[in-house]
Amino acid sequence: MKQVGKDGEVYDGVNVRMEIREGSLWPREEYMIMLDALFDKTEARSAMQFTNPVGLGRIAVTSFALGGLGAAHLVGLAWSFSYSSSGATLTRAWCAYFVALCFYHMSEFITTARYNAPIVAWESFLLNQSKAYQIALVASWVEFWLEVLVVPGLKSSALSQLIMFIGVVLVLVGQSFRTGAMVEAGSNFTHIIQTEKSSSHKLVTTGLYSIVRHPSYFGWFWWSIGTQLLMCNPICAAGYAYAAWMFFNTRIPFEEDRLIKFFPDEYPAYRRKTPIGIPFIEA
């Protein structure tokens, strides 16, 4: 087919079949805007790839930034093991935390792109998932460095190093469950709760889903607490635990109500035999 651009020129065009399933973070119009730009020289020279939420420019810059930050802190983490001073312990905690943080956001995007490509966009990095999340990040950084300046011994004692080790374990377990759940669910996993059942939606009950019935939530809950134990942030550790529990205590019952409607026979039986894994939440 032929396509006429906004500049009046005629280009060789293609027929495009686009299926934007529920769970996509951006509407069909955003994708159409990007497709239209392919046939318009003026738009092609604009910064649309960096301003559009599904633009590749934003994704490239974000990937570069997360990869660079993660790599720099990974080098710092490796360096910290060459020394045994309190300063090296603090460096180790901060760098390990930032490596975990960068890996989490990169893995969210990469896993979505690989296993659920129709809904992937810049938002899949989850960097702006909520104002509360961004405030919590900054709060944890402020607490860490304030305590380093005011009570440095809090993060360099033998007990604090044990707590940091527990944090590392929780981060590793939590990240494994989070990413593993996204891989096993494939196209059935979305960052937005689906209110209507799609034709391809299947109930996943094997693998990690046979251990806990919301492994991605289970993983994120313990990962978030682990990041604060890793930095030995007592205030934020308690705050993260409370905030995450309150969030999932609302989200899980709502999601399970939808799942019961989608799978009226299968889901109740699955729910009865499979725990949630987050303390004191019974949907």
Side-chain angles (χ1 to χ4, degrees):
M1 60 174 284
K2 295 294 183 180
Q3 175 80 23
V4 180
K6 294 178 182 178
D7 54 8
E9 294 191 33
V10 179
Y11 304 91
D12 288 329
V14 294
N15 289 312
V16 178
R17 179 180 180 273
M18 180 177 293
E19 179 186 2
I20 306 299
R21 297 188 299 103
E22 183 176 4
S24 177
L25 295 167
W26 292 99
R28 184 187 304 269
E29 288 75 16
E30 299 291 354
Y31 294 88
M32 295 307 299
I33 289 172
M34 292 299 300
L35 286 174
D36 286 343
L38 296 176
F39 304 104
D40 191 297
K41 289 183 177 179
T42 302
E43 294 289 0
R45 290 192 294 269
S46 72
M48 183 174 294
Q49 290 286 0
F50 297 90
T51 58
N52 191 287
V54 295
L56 297 180
R58 297 181 73 184
I59 292 171
V61 171
T62 303
S63 298
F64 180 82
L66 286 174
L69 284 171
H73 284 85
L74 187 61
V75 171
L77 179 61
W79 171 86
S80 70
F81 284 102
S82 302
Y83 301 88
S84 58
S85 63
S86 59
T89 300
L90 296 174
T91 299
R92 189 176 306 131
W94 175 259
C95 288
Y97 159 78
F98 232 92
V99 168
L101 183 66
C102 290
F103 183 86
Y104 161 68
H105 286 292
M106 286 291 289
S107 67
E108 289 293 304
F109 180 87
I110 292 172
T111 308
T112 303
R114 170 60 182 84
Y115 294 96
N116 206 355
I119 67 170
V120 72
W122 178 84
E123 304 289 341
S124 301
F125 283 108
L126 295 189
L127 287 167
N128 64 337
Q129 54 187 285
S130 70
K131 290 292 183 183
Y133 175 75
Q134 295 170 339
I135 292 171
L137 282 182
V138 175
S140 69
W141 303 342
V142 171
E143 179 184 352
F144 180 85
W145 290 110
L146 276 180
E147 290 172 352
V148 167
L149 294 174
V150 179
V151 281
L154 177 67
K155 300 181 185 297
S156 57
S157 66
L159 177 60
S160 66
Q161 292 188 49
L162 174 60
I163 293 173
M164 290 176 185
F165 174 76
I166 295 173
V168 170
V169 173
L170 289 180
V171 164
L172 292 175
V173 171
Q175 185 66 67
S176 298
F177 268 79
R178 175 72 180 182
T179 304
M182 293 176 68
V183 171
E184 291 182 351
S187 62
N188 296 293
F189 182 93
T190 61
H191 288 119
I192 299 175
I193 295 176
Q194 298 186 46
T195 56
E196 295 182 8
K197 183 182 179 183
S198 66
S199 59
S200 61
H201 195 175
K202 298 179 180 179
L203 180 64
V204 181
T205 61
T206 58
L208 294 175
Y209 287 85
S210 67
I211 301 174
V212 289
R213 63 181 187 261
H214 296 283
S216 67
Y217 297 162
F218 170 86
W220 197 91
F221 177 82
W222 293 109
W223 175 89
S224 65
I225 297 173
T227 61
Q228 299 313 297
L229 295 180
L230 175 55
M231 292 198 291
C232 204
N233 281 353
I235 297 174
C236 280
Y240 273 44
Y242 175 77
W245 188 89
M246 290 295 292
F247 175 75
F248 289 124
N249 191 45
T250 301
R251 185 181 179 94
I252 289 176
F254 176 79
E255 182 171 348
E256 294 206 332
D257 181 61
R258 305 282 85 73
L259 289 170
I260 290 173
K261 292 179 179 178
F262 295 166
F263 308 99
D265 297 323
E266 302 164 84
Y267 197 79
Y270 169 66
R271 186 170 67 167
R272 282 193 296 270
K273 65 180 182 180
T274 312
I276 293 175
I278 299 176
F280 310 115
I281 293 182
E282 291 298 332

